[in-house]
Every structure is written in C-alpha cells, then in structure tokens.
Amino acid sequence: MRILIVGGGGREHALAWKLSQSPRRPQLWCAPGNAGIASLATCADIAVDNIPVLLEFARKQNIDLVVVGPEAALAAGIVDAFQERGMRIFGPTRAAAELESSKSWCKNLFRKHNVPSAGFRVFDRFDDAARYIERTPHPVVVKADGIAAGKGVTICGTPAESMAALAASMKDRAFGKAGDRVVIEEYLAGEEVSVLALTDGQTIAVLESAQDHKRINDGDEGPNTGGMGAYSPAPVFTEELAARTAREVFVPIVHAMREERRPYKGVLYAGLMLTRSGPRVLEVNARFGDPETQPLMMRLKTDLLDLIEAVIDGKLSKVDLEWDPDPVVCVVAASGGYPGEIKKGLEIHGLEDAARVPGVQVFHAGTALKGDKIVTAGGRVLGVTAKGETHAAARDAAYRAMSAINFDGIHYRRDIGLRAIR
C-alpha cells in the first residue's frame, strides 16, 4: 500500500513511525515532512493547504491512502477534494472540521445538544466585547474564534489583561483572520486532560488518556503554545471518568454532528477540564493532538493502518484497541523566543546520543536538512519521547536524552510529567 501523510510536525513523524511498523509494510510519502520523517518516507515540499498540487502529486504517485495531520488542511477542505475524486482519505470533511475551525460554531453546537462546557459569549465587534469585559467578573478566557496553532487562547485574571488579549486578537490581528471574532468564556478550575477518540460516525473508540502542558514555562507560567510536552496515561483520568466522558461528551458530539448533517469520521480530540461537577469540554480538535500523539503512538499496540481503514470503511466496531501498559513521557524542545519570533537554520547537536538512551524515540517537528546537517526550522523543534515501567522512569529517560541535545537558544520545560508522579 502507498500512503501519503499530509503535514510536517512531530505528530506526523509519530504517525509515520507507527505506520512504518504495520505488518502490511506500506510505502510512505509525506508532504512537506521534516528531517526526521525523511528517514521513513519520501518527502515532497508541498504546503498542507495546497490541495490542487497535493491531488496531482497523489495521482502521479498512485497513492492508495491519504492521512491528514494538521487542522489547516482539514479546514481548507482537503478531505472533500480527495473524496470527490474517489480517493481514500482519513479525516473529517470541511463542514465537520468546523468543530475546530470555528470555536463559536462549536460552542453553539454544545449549547444546542447539551454537551458540558463553559458558559460563553461571542463577539464580532471590539467595542461590544470591551463593554462585556468591563462588567464581567474575572478570571475569564479570551479565545480567537478560528485556528491559531494553539496560541489564540488567553486566561485573563483582570479586566486589563482581557482588554490586552482582546486588542491583540481584534485590533493588532496577532492571529490574522482567526481573531476577527472572539469567544469570551467562563473560567473553569480543575485539572486538564486530553482524550482522543476515533469514530466512523457510528462507533466510537476512545483512546488512552494523555496530559498536555500548554504554557511555555515551568509551573504553567507564560503564554500558551502548541504544547510543550505530554504524557500518557494521565493517572487523574480514572476508568469511571473515561466512561463518563464517552457517555457525556463523545456520544453527544457524534450524534449532534449527524443531526446537523455533518457526519463525522476521523479523530475527535477533547480537551477536558476535570471540575468538581465532572468533565467539561474546553476545546475540540478535529485531528490528532500534538504532542499527545507522540506518547499515544508509542503505547498503541494495534496496527494504526487497520484502525484508519476501519474508520474510513465504517468498520471500527470490528477492530480491537490494544495498549502497552507502560507510561510514556514526551518533552518538547523549542526554539528560543517561541511562541514569538524565532531563528531558523541552527544546527542541532546530539541527536544520535539521545537516540541511544533505552526506551527513547526522538520525534522531529520543526527540523530540516541543510546539506548533511539537521537544523531548526520551526518553533517546536523536537519531541523527546520515552517509555518506562513507571511515569518516573519514562520521565528520567526523556530528560536524560534531552540533556544530550543542544542547539543555540534551546528551551524546554523541566517539569513535564511531575504531576503524574505526584
């Protein structure tokens, strides 16, 4: 089988790594890919939302299956375009992906179909939002409505902080068109957990839990990022909570999408806050999470290719999920200045030494080849991911490997996984 993976980050490297282990021995291509993916797949320098070029590339390479990683491609309608040409592709349609591409649409869906979430208001005008902020008790959460690479969410403790977040989004256009509309949400207290599920529109297969670390600095300080690390499983997410989440979150969302005539096939990613009154949805993404995918793929024992095809063919009920019980911890190495301005093209040292640490897999995110050197090419550069018999053992291995890696300005959190150990 000939498979094209669309994307070029750590998530796509993890997907390529897992697909390469399929007993069916698929041939892999990736667009655009990165320096790590290049060891597993043939990479083509095509932007993820350049759908006409991707279609022509897939046709010329006789691709049998397309696996979509990033949200930008889904929002651009890549699944619709490939399906219209009779090509097999994994992911939701543009209409179904609006769960992620429009927070206001998603929140209204939740309200209509009684999915537990935070209270909210939607604003298209800065002045209206500013007046609401002035009379609303704080803290609140200000969110850019559209896709902002995980950076469009600001937790605001005071009206002044809310006004600054509002101005950044609607006046300074820090997130482009994504911030022209904002959602202002009730702040929810508790512990966050990420839960992903596969669905073919009928059957829902909930994956193992993971816990992401969104803020740039230790202790959950600093601005939000795309994710600075993750571990799986999340001990706080008990079997009882898993059953409740399936019943109260995933089942209502899949049913709601069918009622809205936007049947959903693919991955549903629910970012949950575990409040005193139970799990409530902070966000829904229409694809695999990053960096949660890295530990999940290292723990998944079932053939990923079988799962993907079962989703496409409506046969998910016939595939059993099996998991390695050992925990996995992923620590992200980022470029200096991330999530703001960064430098690219900096040589990365120590990758071979890191890979020699037992239980470690280094997933590339923002990397590129420059001659015979591997250099930085993005904000999040690497995901150093390790398996161990305990969370503590996995964490120790990940940081031992991370200590071998260096590039100018490297930044990573030192507290990934501590919550699980506690």
Side-chain angles (χ1 to χ4, degrees), residues 160-200:
E161 291 176 358
S162 291
M163 290 297 293
L166 194 64
S169 183
M170 302 189 83
K171 286 190 170 181
D172 302 337
R173 307 193 82 236
F175 314 111
K177 291 182 180 179
D180 289 349
R181 173 182 293 162
V182 297
V183 177
I184 301 177
E185 280 188 1
E186 165 196 12
Y187 173 78
L188 298 176
E191 192 160 349
E192 288 188 45
V193 65
S194 303
V195 186
L196 284 70
L198 297 172
T199 180
D200 58 9

Side-chain angles (χ1 to χ4, degrees), residues 140-161:
V140 299
V141 183
V142 178
K143 297 182 176 182
D145 181 60
I147 293 171
K151 303 169 194 172
V153 177
T154 308
I155 298 171
C156 304
T158 65
E161 291 176 358

Side-chain angles (χ1 to χ4, degrees), residues 287-321:
R287 36 72 190 181
F288 283 107
D290 190 346
E292 296 93 338
T293 300
Q294 289 84 308
L296 287 174
M297 289 303 104
M298 285 189 69
R299 294 191 59 219
L300 180 65
K301 295 175 73 173
T302 306
D303 185 356
L304 178 61
L305 182 51
D306 287 348
L307 285 170
I308 287 172
E309 292 213 292
V311 168
I312 294 172
D313 296 331
K315 298 179 179 179
L316 188 56
S317 62
K318 298 182 179 180
V319 182
D320 293 326
L321 278 171

Side-chain angles (χ1 to χ4, degrees), residues 193-197 206-210 237 242 245 250 268-272:
V193 65
S194 303
V195 186
L196 284 70
V206 180
L207 308 186
E208 288 280 273
S209 62
F237 197 68
T245 298
F250 288 117
L268 274 173
Y269 167 130
L272 305 177

Side-chain angles (χ1 to χ4, degrees), residues 363-399:
F363 293 112
H364 290 230
T367 68
L369 289 169
K370 187 176 182 180
D372 60 352
K373 297 177 181 178
I374 296 177
V375 300
T376 63
R380 291 187 293 171
V381 179
L382 302 165
V384 179
T385 310
K387 184 188 295 184
E389 292 185 357
T390 64
H391 284 85
R395 182 179 185 276
D396 287 347
Y399 278 105

Side-chain angles (χ1 to χ4, degrees), residues 64 70 81 89 128-129 170 173 177 236 243 255 272 289 291 314 339 376 397 411:
D64 300 302
I89 185 167
D128 293 340
M170 302 189 83
R173 307 193 82 236
K177 291 182 180 179
V236 70
H255 285 174
L272 305 177
T376 63
H411 172 77

